[in-house]
Amino acid sequence: AVLILETPELSGNLKEGCYALFYHQHLMYFDAFSLENVVRKFGFTVIDKTIDNGNLRLVARKLGEKTSKKISYEKDPVVPEKLKDYRSALDRYLKQAELFLEESCREERCICYGAGGGTTLLFHLNPRLKDLVERVVDSSVNKIGKKIGGTSFIIQDPAVLADLFDRNIVINSIEYFDEIYRVLHEQYEEHNFCHLRITPTLEKLKSSYTVRK
């Protein structure tokens, strides 16, 4: 049997102070060390491992009977140290994000594309960012028309972008960033939008940006 697991990767996200790391939906968190430890305890051998966009994907093959019904938890001494630094790294990122958006959206408030949990957390952790955003759009029909918790934003259909020109669009999604960028670039090429990335890095995207296949 082959087992494929994907989970937020704890260690690297702690180092970067990723604001969207801790969600109430996740009861447990793993880095490569701890996840490999778990699958080994149940008789699996890791055959492939990748870390991409803050996610850890692990592929393992079952070689025999599980070695132990009870997991014997091993400890990675590095993680506690990173946890100590997480709060300061997070505070540093949030302030940098605020300054970045203030500079980018000095003349007009920006549009936030992406209404997932990451956007809710971002507004909660740094309420000042809400003042820099005019509206929030998302392509999910399950989100359009609903309110983002703790804010007055009603999530709008991206079709509203058709009436806007020369605006800064913050793409607030790690997993779907390239997909969203591709749609904006192809459908609104004449609208002269400036695309902003705020996670995992803060940057204005140049026209030469190439999306991943």
Side-chain angles (χ1 to χ4, degrees):
V2 174
L3 176 68
I4 302 175
L5 298 172
E6 184 166 346
T7 177
E9 197 279 319
L10 178 64
S11 186
N13 285 318
L14 283 176
K15 181 179 179 181
E16 298 297 329
C18 177
Y19 68 87
L21 174 58
F22 296 105
Y23 281 88
H24 64 277
Q25 297 99 325
H26 295 290
L27 300 180
M28 301 183 72
Y29 293 85
F30 299 91
D31 61 0
F33 176 89
S34 57
L35 193 58
E36 288 184 51
N37 178 40
V38 170
V39 299
R40 285 199 308 268
K41 297 298 180 182
F42 286 87
F44 285 84
T45 295
V46 176
I47 57 178
D48 189 42
K49 175 180 64 180
T50 57
I51 298 176
D52 185 45
N53 278 339
N55 290 324
L56 166 65
R57 185 179 300 111
L58 188 146
V59 181
R61 176 176 289 122
K62 187 69 176 274
L63 297 181
E65 294 299 320
K66 57 188 177 183
T67 58
S68 172
K69 292 184 179 181
K70 183 178 180 180
I71 298 178
S72 175
Y73 290 98
E74 299 176 37
K75 295 182 179 180
D76 184 346
V78 176
V79 171
E81 292 302 317
K82 290 182 177 179
L83 280 169
K84 289 180 182 178
D85 297 334
Y86 175 69
R87 183 68 215 194
S88 60
L90 176 61
D91 289 341
R92 184 166 57 251
Y93 164 79
L94 292 170
K95 186 60 180 177
Q96 290 173 344
E98 179 182 336
L99 294 174
F100 173 72
L101 291 183
E102 282 182 342
E103 177 64 25
S104 301
C105 309
R106 182 180 300 174
E107 298 182 1
E108 199 167 16
R109 288 182 297 166
C110 63
I111 312 298
C112 178
Y113 198 124
T119 296
T120 302
L121 283 171
L122 190 62
F123 289 156
H124 173 73
L125 292 170
N126 189 342
R128 165 68 181 135
L129 297 179
K130 293 185 289 187
D131 299 331
L132 302 174
V133 174
E134 176 186 304
R135 66 182 80 186
V136 178
V137 303
D138 197 287
S139 59
S140 171
V141 296
N142 295 321
K143 296 177 182 176
I144 295 172
K146 296 181 179 178
K147 181 183 287 189
I148 293 181
T151 77
S152 60
F153 290 115
I154 302 297
I155 302 166
Q156 299 182 353
D157 191 307
V160 300
L161 298 177
D163 297 324
L164 303 176
F165 294 85
D166 303 306
R167 301 298 297 272
N168 289 301
I169 310 292
V170 177
I171 305 177
N172 193 22
S173 173
I174 296 178
E175 184 174 0
Y176 299 108
F177 182 90
D178 283 343
E179 180 181 335
I180 294 171
Y181 176 84
R182 185 184 297 110
V183 170
L184 289 173
H185 188 69
E186 293 177 353
Q187 295 186 7
Y188 302 99
E189 187 174 3
E190 304 301 321
H191 289 241
N192 197 33
F193 290 149
C194 177
H195 306 102
L196 308 177
R197 185 204 295 272
I198 61 172
T199 183
T201 59
L202 301 168
E203 61 178 323
K204 286 187 176 182
L205 294 185
K206 300 177 180 179
S207 58
S208 59
Y209 174 78
T210 302
V211 298
R212 296 180 302 171
K213 301 297 183 182

